[in-house]
Amino acid sequence: MTVAPLRHRVEDLEQLVPALLDRLAPGRGTTCSDDAMAVLARRAWTGNVTELGDVLQATLRRRPVGTIRRDDLPPSCSTTSRRALSPIETLERDAIVQALAETDGNRKSAAARLGMSRSSLYRKIHAFGIDATGSAHH
């Protein structure tokens, strides 16, 4: 069985990050904020889950308990250039832009229309570079 690289499965971060934090820091209750998740979603992952684990391990040295914020992530996370979107991510970004347009920018309504949580929508808006007007920056 072949597993697609993490860069093609950024939607899996929502489940992977909490699971890895529980494994790397058992009993600490460390969580990841939406802004930190958005940074992780934008990262151009060259490796796979092992690379994500390494990033989280480095982050846990900076913030061993509590909520991981964007500033807690290693500098390499914020300096990585924006990666190219996969064809599926492009379709997802376009669907989000359309839902925002159809709901006059109402993110709660757009999330409901798309069948996703508001936090997932916010993370994807940020990761895909969609501005407040619902326009995508390519």
Side-chain angles (χ1 to χ4, degrees):
M1 176 170 140
T2 303
V3 177
L6 187 55
R7 68 182 168 271
H8 297 300
R9 302 179 296 123
V10 293
E11 67 278 0
D12 291 349
L13 288 172
E14 202 166 315
Q15 288 84 34
L16 287 171
V17 170
L20 284 169
L21 288 173
D22 285 344
R23 194 180 86 202
L24 295 169
R28 293 189 205 167
T30 305
T31 59
C32 196
S33 68
D34 285 346
D35 66 329
M37 286 294 287
V39 170
L40 293 174
R42 277 194 320 273
R43 184 182 165 104
W45 296 100
T46 56
N48 214 323
V49 177
T50 303
E51 182 184 5
L52 174 61
D54 292 345
V55 166
L56 293 176
Q57 187 68 49
T59 303
L60 287 168
R61 285 192 286 277
R62 299 174 85 166
R63 178 166 299 277
V65 295
T67 301
I68 294 170
R69 299 178 319 257
R70 168 187 293 189
D71 295 341
D72 298 321
L73 295 170
S76 62
C77 285
S78 58
T79 58
T80 303
S81 62
R82 183 175 291 276
R83 63 181 173 74
L85 297 178
S86 71
I88 290 174
E89 290 171 317
T90 300
L91 290 172
E92 185 175 29
R93 181 199 60 210
D94 293 348
I96 290 170
V97 169
Q98 181 178 350
L100 288 167
E102 291 172 354
T103 60
D104 294 323
N106 184 310
R107 293 177 180 193
K108 182 177 180 181
S109 296
R113 182 173 290 216
L114 293 164
M116 66 173 58
S117 69
R118 273 193 301 174
S119 63
S120 291
L121 177 62
Y122 278 80
R123 198 168 15 264
K124 289 175 185 290
I125 285 171
H126 192 61
F128 292 151
I130 299 170
D131 67 21
T133 66
S135 299
H137 298 287
H138 300 283

